[in-house]
Amino acid sequence: MEQKHVPPDLPPMKDLTTENITENVHIINSKCEDPRLRFLLERLVTHLHDFARETRLSIKEWEAAIKFLVEVGQISTDVRHEFVLLSDVLGLSLLVDAIDNPKLPNATEGTVLGPFHTSDAHHVSSGNQISRDPDGEPLFALCSVKDTQGRPIQGVSIDVWETDSKGFYDVQYSDREEPDGRAILESDENGVFFFKAIVPVPYPIPHDGPVGQLLERLKRHPYRPSHMHFMFKKEGYDRLITAFYLRGDPYESSDAVFGVKQSLIIDLHRVGDYPGLAEKYGVSLETKLLKQDFVLVTAEEAAKVREEDAWKEVKRQGGNLTVVNGLIVPAE
Amino acid sequence: MEQKHVPPDLPPMKDLTTENITENVHIINSKCEDPRLRFLLERLVTHLHDFARETRLSIKEWEAAIKFLVEVGQISTDVRHEFVLLSDVLGLSLLVDAIDNPKLPNATEGTVLGPFHTSDAHHVSSGNQISRDPDGEPLFALCSVKDTQGRPIQGVSIDVWETDSKGFYDVQYSDREEPDGRAILESDENGVFFFKAIVPVPYPIPHDGPVGQLLERLKRHPYRPSHMHFMFKKEGYDRLITAFYLRGDPYESSDAVFGVKQSLIIDLHRVGDYPGLAEKYGVSLETKLLKQDFVLVTAEEAAKVREEDAWKEVKRQGGNLTVVNGLIVPAE
């Protein structure tokens, strides 16, 4: 820490005004040896300062913002992710997801992870029930995972998570003893996985905290349309975080976290619509059926598109930038 | 809360992409009935999204940012203001202060409040010692408060705060029993106030938390040059938050929080330089002397300049904006 006592060899920074403060913050940050972090800070400080200048932000408003951010941090726990929620309701999560998971032809689109994924779901074999809620409407899911050439992918790890019939995830119950409404499955040699669950219901994001208060001041409802989350992982493939949404949900076009995509809206069928299914899987004819194929892209395909997209942005900005490991950094 | 269940009467938001997400967040926020909040959100979301698009922020980086913000919130307490520190080291605090406290001819310039002001300082009469630190170098401060016409202002409440000789504020000691290194004084009929204190020393901002880690990654030192804080309040006058800085401090031109201004850098004198002072105030000839006049503007003068500055910004942006109560809002 001793070296910190030596002031850096930089031009003097005094008499900072609303006009020259930004350039001076860039100068003092310019000693950072990580080019990506330097670029992120340069853009962050520029936007933060432009925001304050364009709005002529008052000290009172700044104080309110600081208080709000402290509250968002303090209500956060291992199972309550209020900053993720804040990012979600501002559309940032969807945007970052769309940037990092570029849409590829024929592949399943991604969407927001949301704040309710956990790392402790049980690994179960296909056919198991993932929800213990007796009040949920039974759903049978018969799904497959393929590559963009239509070939089944075996051995994909599939995280599935959904709320109970009251619209709450297991982690929202303080007496949660073990994971429920979630499981990790694996695709078989035909790329197939199947499980019993319940029909998803719309639910509000947690809105008893600062983010909920913000939504209220913005006259926004906190609801997400009915959906079920999926995460697909296999070495060599790009991780896919997605969900499907039930067509006709009242919140289909006003999702509080902007996660709905046309290609992810689906219709549920009945098991009885497909001859032989009920017997083969031991479910009743009346059971709602989710029949869904998911298409993964390889890690290589995704990296190539990310790299191309980064170069497009570098060209658009026309500045002194380059791309290293798929990330935009200053050219030096 | 029941009304929240009704989705708003808004255009459908589906298939959100990196290009249309921003406009859609604006649309869903457009029901907010507070025009200022609507404007702040519109600008905030625009800059936040532009930041993500220009950097092509990765999910991994977004996750690191969320983790950082949670840590900043969680280390915060009533006496540790880590989000204020974050704002300080990014130059935002100085900027907002400069916006809200426009510089007026002949008036004392303001600077950052910093995270160490408290509301519990003792009210003391002029002449009292405000620091109990026996190791500090004695300082006698003989100051006055005037208006822009040079007339003394009586009855101004003056908050003064400084560190001890080790560079720590009282609130940084876990065994703090009562305020020290701080006091609230009042100006007399000649606008004069005086007190005994210690010569300020340079000190690091608290850097054992996430903001300190950020500074380290940016290769920045956490030091502030030697200074003493002042806050002036009187009905009818614009609140002045300022500080003075000792000329020649090693951190004079690299203040970690960008607070130094040329007009606030001063030289200390010796009490013996001014005949009669030592006897009149009962201090030794060798005691360092701070002799400083502060000039306040009226609330009316400040409001007028704020209003003019807001209109300048509205004209610069050329958008459909107006100014209400000194604040920029959408014109409707």
Side-chain angles (χ1 to χ4, degrees):
Chain A
M1 290 296 280
E2 275 312 300
Q3 61 164 8
K4 284 194 171 177
H5 292 253
V6 183
D9 166 30
L10 290 167
M13 295 187 307
K14 277 186 297 198
D15 266 333
L16 300 181
T17 65
T18 56
E19 300 311 312
N20 70 12
I21 174 78
T22 309
E23 187 54 31
N24 272 281
V25 178
H26 294 340
I27 289 172
I28 210 171
N29 286 341
S30 65
K31 296 270 173 179
C32 173
E33 288 164 3
D34 175 343
R36 176 65 177 170
L37 183 60
R38 206 162 65 235
F39 178 59
L40 291 176
L41 260 288
E42 193 269 337
R43 292 284 80 211
L44 178 69
V45 168
T46 298
H47 281 295
L48 199 59
H49 288 197
D50 281 349
F51 167 72
R53 276 187 288 256
E54 289 169 9
T55 58
R56 293 195 61 79
L57 195 67
S58 75
I59 291 179
K60 208 174 136 196
E61 290 165 340
W62 171 87
E63 285 170 348
I66 295 282
K67 181 167 173 284
F68 175 80
L69 291 170
V70 171
E71 285 168 4
V72 172
Q74 301 220 322
I75 205 172
S76 296
T77 66
D78 282 351
V79 293
R80 175 159 188 156
H81 302 290
E82 196 82 357
F83 265 113
V84 173
L85 265 190
L86 180 58
S87 168
D88 290 351
V89 303
L90 295 177
L92 181 65
S93 308
L94 186 278
L95 174 58
V96 171
D97 182 78
I99 286 170
D100 212 14
N101 294 301
K103 192 183 169 183
L104 282 149
N106 307 322
T108 302
E109 275 194 277
T111 188
V112 289
L113 172 67
F116 293 115
H117 179 254
T118 70
S119 311
D120 66 352
H122 294 310
H123 290 258
V124 303
S125 310
S126 270
N128 272 277
Q129 174 60 261
I130 72 162
S131 170
R132 287 196 302 270
D133 183 356
D135 298 328
E137 185 183 356
L139 174 77
F140 181 63
L142 178 55
C143 305
S144 75
V145 204
K146 295 181 175 157
D147 67 15
T148 49
Q149 265 79 52
R151 293 172 299 211
I153 314 176
Q154 183 176 7
V156 177
S157 160
I158 304 130
D159 259 84
V160 186
W161 65 109
E162 65 168 344
T163 68
D164 64 14
S165 61
K166 293 177 194 66
F168 293 110
Y169 288 94
D170 55 353
V171 291
Q172 294 179 279
Y173 291 96
S174 55
D175 61 348
R176 176 191 199 248
E177 282 177 1
E178 59 166 340
D180 190 23
R182 61 181 79 236
I184 302 174
L185 296 116
E186 195 175 305
S187 58
D188 66 16
E189 65 278 13
N190 299 312
V192 170
F193 63 99
F194 51 96
F195 57 93
K196 292 169 190 153
I198 62 172
V199 175
V201 296
Y203 65 84
I205 58 172
H207 54 99
D208 57 341
V211 172
Q213 285 160 24
L214 176 65
L215 289 182
E216 203 156 324
R217 288 200 59 192
L218 294 172
K219 298 278 171 201
R220 283 171 56 175
H221 71 73
Y223 279 81
R224 297 216 63 203
S226 318
H227 64 279
M228 184 181 278
H229 293 278
F230 292 83
M231 185 195 294
F232 298 84
K233 285 186 285 193
K234 184 180 175 170
E235 187 71 29
Y237 291 87
D238 199 44
R239 184 180 71 166
L240 173 66
I241 296 165
T242 190
F244 71 79
Y245 297 86
L246 298 189
R247 194 182 316 281
D249 187 283
Y251 304 103
E252 183 181 302
S253 62
S254 67
D255 183 359
V257 309
F258 308 99
V260 182
K261 295 185 178 178
Q262 198 68 48
S263 72
L264 302 176
I265 299 177
I266 56 112
D267 294 295
L268 292 183
H269 305 267
R270 276 174 62 257
V271 166
D273 296 342
Y274 292 79
L277 274 197
E279 298 75 12
K280 181 168 179 189
Y281 295 104
V283 282
S284 76
L285 293 168
E286 289 311 312
T287 306
K288 287 278 174 31
L289 174 68
L290 168 69
K291 212 167 169 313
Q292 197 67 19
D293 295 324
F294 296 89
V295 180
L296 304 191
V297 298
T298 63
E300 203 181 334
E301 285 171 308
K304 187 163 165 282
V305 176
R306 271 188 211 108
E307 179 98 10
E308 286 166 2
D309 286 350
W311 276 111
K312 271 184 215 158
E313 179 59 24
V314 164
K315 292 215 173 68
R316 193 191 67 74
Q317 287 183 45
N320 197 25
L321 301 171
T322 187
V323 179
V324 174
N325 298 328
L327 295 172
I328 303 176
V329 296
E332 313 190 79
Chain B
M1 293 292 283
E2 276 311 301
Q3 62 165 6
K4 285 194 173 178
H5 293 253
V6 183
D9 166 30
L10 290 168
M13 295 188 306
K14 275 185 299 198
D15 266 332
L16 300 181
T17 65
T18 56
E19 299 312 311
N20 70 13
I21 175 78
T22 309
E23 187 53 32
N24 271 282
V25 177
H26 294 339
I27 290 172
I28 209 170
N29 286 342
S30 66
K31 296 272 172 177
C32 173
E33 287 164 2
D34 175 343
R36 176 65 177 170
L37 183 61
R38 207 163 64 235
F39 178 59
L40 291 177
L41 260 287
E42 193 269 335
R43 292 285 80 209
L44 177 70
V45 168
T46 297
H47 282 295
L48 199 59
H49 288 197
D50 281 349
F51 166 72
R53 276 187 288 255
E54 289 169 9
T55 57
R56 295 194 60 80
L57 195 67
S58 75
I59 292 178
K60 209 174 136 196
E61 290 165 340
W62 171 86
E63 284 170 350
I66 295 282
K67 182 168 172 282
F68 175 80
L69 291 170
V70 171
E71 285 168 4
V72 172
Q74 301 219 322
I75 204 172
S76 297
T77 66
D78 282 351
V79 293
R80 175 158 188 157
H81 302 291
E82 195 83 358
F83 264 115
V84 173
L85 265 191
L86 179 59
S87 168
D88 290 352
V89 304
L90 295 178
L92 181 66
S93 307
L94 186 278
L95 175 59
V96 171
D97 182 77
I99 287 170
D100 212 12
N101 293 303
K103 192 183 168 181
L104 281 148
N106 308 321
T108 302
E109 275 194 278
T111 189
V112 288
L113 172 67
F116 293 115
H117 180 254
T118 70
S119 311
D120 66 352
H122 294 311
H123 290 257
V124 303
S125 309
S126 270
N128 273 277
Q129 174 60 261
I130 71 162
S131 170
R132 286 196 303 270
D133 183 356
D135 298 326
E137 184 183 356
L139 174 78
F140 180 64
L142 178 56
C143 304
S144 76
V145 204
K146 295 182 175 158
D147 68 15
T148 51
Q149 266 79 54
R151 294 172 299 211
I153 314 176
Q154 182 176 9
V156 178
S157 160
I158 303 130
D159 260 83
V160 186
W161 65 109
E162 64 168 346
T163 68
D164 63 14
S165 61
K166 293 178 195 67
F168 292 110
Y169 288 94
D170 55 352
V171 290
Q172 294 179 277
Y173 291 97
S174 55
D175 60 349
R176 177 191 198 249
E177 281 178 359
E178 59 166 340
D180 190 23
R182 61 181 79 236
I184 302 173
L185 296 117
E186 196 175 304
S187 59
D188 67 16
E189 65 278 15
N190 299 312
V192 170
F193 63 99
F194 51 97
F195 57 94
K196 293 169 190 152
I198 61 172
V199 175
V201 295
Y203 65 85
I205 57 170
H207 54 100
D208 57 340
V211 172
Q213 286 160 23
L214 176 65
L215 289 182
E216 203 155 325
R217 288 200 60 191
L218 295 173
K219 297 280 171 200
R220 283 172 56 175
H221 71 73
Y223 279 80
R224 296 216 64 203
S226 318
H227 64 278
M228 184 179 277
H229 293 277
F230 291 84
M231 186 196 292
F232 297 85
K233 285 185 286 191
K234 183 179 176 171
E235 187 72 29
Y237 291 88
D238 199 43
R239 184 180 70 167
L240 173 65
I241 296 165
T242 189
F244 71 80
Y245 296 86
L246 299 189
R247 194 183 315 281
D249 188 282
Y251 305 102
E252 184 182 302
S253 63
S254 67
D255 183 359
V257 309
F258 307 99
V260 182
K261 294 185 180 179
Q262 199 67 48
S263 72
L264 302 175
I265 299 177
I266 57 112
D267 294 295
L268 292 183
H269 305 267
R270 275 174 64 257
V271 166
D273 296 343
Y274 292 80
L277 273 198
E279 299 74 11
K280 181 167 178 191
Y281 295 106
V283 281
S284 77
L285 293 168
E286 290 311 311
T287 305
K288 286 278 173 32
L289 174 69
L290 168 70
K291 213 168 168 311
Q292 196 66 20
D293 295 325
F294 295 90
V295 180
L296 303 190
V297 298
T298 63
E300 205 181 332
E301 285 172 307
K304 187 163 164 284
V305 176
R306 270 188 212 108
E307 179 98 9
E308 286 167 3
D309 285 350
W311 277 111
K312 271 183 215 158
E313 178 59 23
V314 163
K315 291 213 174 67
R316 193 191 67 74
Q317 287 184 45
N320 197 25
L321 301 171
T322 187
V323 179
V324 174
N325 299 327
L327 295 172
I328 303 175
V329 295
E332 315 190 76

